[in-house]
């Protein structure tokens, strides 16, 4: 059997712990399907003492994601820390420079620096994969890059932020004002730590910039995306749209 593919995982929030569980719980299945074991060798997060819903005792621990990216026992660097500057960017650059392939779910990082990182990876003979950065478990990136490779795409559009869709749907179905549903979504954990990333349209803009670059063969250019959020949508707007047979949605 081929040698294990060794992963270094930076970020142990909801997404990171999800990766740990998949690698642990589906180890045999992954090995059968890929022809080699896939194992986590080292992890990194800001607070090692925090209680997490996974057993991390078998993994080496780094407090610096750049150090994790440069470890000799890491073949693929997985970045799920979030943020488009600072540690996420520095660690991704370090991984590429150290000859690692990169997997990231960080749409903000790619929207702001994806072109630069992709060019650096190509020059180093490495790859960056980012399926989870847009639409979660829906393989829209793979569909665009492979399944629709021979198609001329004229438009990319859709609901790209689930949090905004939840808020607008609840306003529509329950007749609740924006402020009440916003707080409900926050309490349920549906909003980012900075809610403006969701309700300000920034998250949807990040995703749209990536999809547009892939669909139309252009460079990633987040600055060219016009942003408009849902903060100004009132319950009266929802009612008036309903009277005319429409629904208000945030589309990218």
């Amino acid at each position: 059997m081929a040698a294990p593919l060794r992963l270094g995982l930076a970020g142990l929030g909801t997404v990171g712990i999800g990766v740990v569980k998949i690698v642990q719980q589906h180890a045999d299945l992954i090995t059968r399907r890929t022809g080699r074991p896939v194992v986590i060798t080292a992890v990194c997060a800001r607070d090692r003492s925090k209680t997490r819903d996974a057993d991390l005792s078998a993994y080496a621990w780094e407090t610096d994601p750049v150090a994790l990216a440069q470890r000799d026992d890491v073949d693929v660097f997985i970045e799920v820390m979030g943020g488009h500057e600072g540690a996420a960017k520095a660690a991704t650059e370090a991984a590429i420079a150290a000859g690692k392939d990169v997997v990231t779910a960080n749409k903000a990082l790619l929207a702001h620096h994806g072109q630069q990182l992709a060019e650096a990876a190509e020059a180093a003979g490495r790859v960056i994969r980012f399926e989870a950065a847009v639409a979660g478990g829906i393989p829209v990136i793979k569909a665009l890059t492979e399944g629709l490779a021979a198609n001329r795409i004229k438009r990319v559009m859709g609901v790209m932020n689930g949090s905004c869709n939840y808020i607008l749907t609840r306003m529509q179905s329950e007749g609740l004002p924006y402020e009440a549903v916003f707080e409900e979504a926050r309490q349920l954990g549906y909003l980012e730590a900075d809610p403006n990333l969701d309700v300000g349209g920034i998250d949807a803009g990040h995703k749209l910039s990536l999809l547009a670059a892939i669909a139309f063969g252009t460079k990633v250019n987040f600055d060219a995306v016009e942003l408009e959020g849902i903060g100004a949508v009132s319950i009266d707007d929802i009612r008036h749209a309903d009277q005319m047979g429409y629904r208000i949605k945030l589309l990218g």
Side-chain angles (χ1 to χ4, degrees):
M1 182 179 293
L5 182 68
R6 302 167 300 176
L7 311 179
L9 176 62
L12 292 171
T14 301
V15 177
I17 291 299
V19 172
V20 171
K21 289 181 176 180
I22 289 172
V23 171
Q24 291 178 346
Q25 296 171 9
H26 300 282
D28 292 341
L29 177 63
I30 293 170
T31 299
R32 289 199 304 271
R33 289 182 173 175
T34 63
R36 65 189 297 191
V38 176
V39 299
I40 297 171
T41 54
V43 298
C44 177
R46 284 177 292 187
D47 184 0
R48 185 171 184 173
S49 64
K50 182 178 179 180
T51 300
R52 295 179 171 88
D53 187 25
D55 181 6
L56 306 174
S57 60
Y59 310 140
W61 190 283
E62 295 283 356
T63 56
D64 179 4
V66 171
L68 174 67
Q70 295 171 332
R71 287 179 65 102
D72 292 335
D73 59 353
V74 168
D75 302 311
V76 177
F77 177 67
I78 301 178
E79 187 280 302
V80 289
M81 295 180 290
H84 67 274
E85 299 292 351
K89 180 172 180 284
T92 301
E93 291 172 334
I96 294 169
K100 321 289 187 185
D101 293 317
V102 174
V103 175
T104 180
N106 190 339
K107 65 189 85 58
L109 175 69
L110 296 173
H112 288 275
H113 305 293
Q115 193 67 39
Q116 167 196 336
L117 293 171
E119 290 173 0
E122 184 176 9
R126 300 290 90 191
V127 297
I128 298 179
R129 293 290 181 260
F130 52 96
E131 186 67 64
V134 181
I138 303 171
V140 63
I141 303 297
K142 191 175 182 67
L144 284 172
T145 56
E146 297 181 18
L148 299 175
N151 291 263
R152 188 180 300 277
I153 298 172
K154 297 181 179 180
R155 182 169 63 172
V156 175
M157 183 175 69
V159 174
M160 296 189 185
N161 183 274
S163 302
C164 287
N165 203 47
Y166 173 84
I167 291 172
L168 293 172
T169 299
R170 287 282 289 163
M171 290 175 69
Q172 168 71 39
S173 63
E174 303 300 326
L176 297 171
Y178 171 83
E179 293 77 12
V181 185
F182 175 93
E183 181 59 24
E184 178 181 278
R186 190 184 68 80
Q187 293 288 343
L188 290 169
Y190 292 166
L191 296 173
E192 297 278 0
D194 176 4
N196 191 53
L197 291 173
D198 289 313
V199 299
I202 298 171
D203 175 83
H206 287 154
K207 295 171 183 174
L208 181 62
S209 67
L210 297 178
L211 291 179
I214 296 168
F216 306 124
T218 62
K219 293 184 177 181
V220 179
N221 185 7
F222 176 65
D223 292 335
V225 179
E226 183 176 342
L227 300 178
E228 183 172 354
I230 65 170
V233 178
S234 70
I235 190 63
D236 287 335
D237 295 326
I238 296 288
R239 289 168 178 160
H240 291 155
D242 183 60
Q243 290 169 2
M244 294 185 287
Y246 294 103
R247 299 289 185 270
I248 296 177
K249 298 290 184 182
L250 179 67
L251 300 179

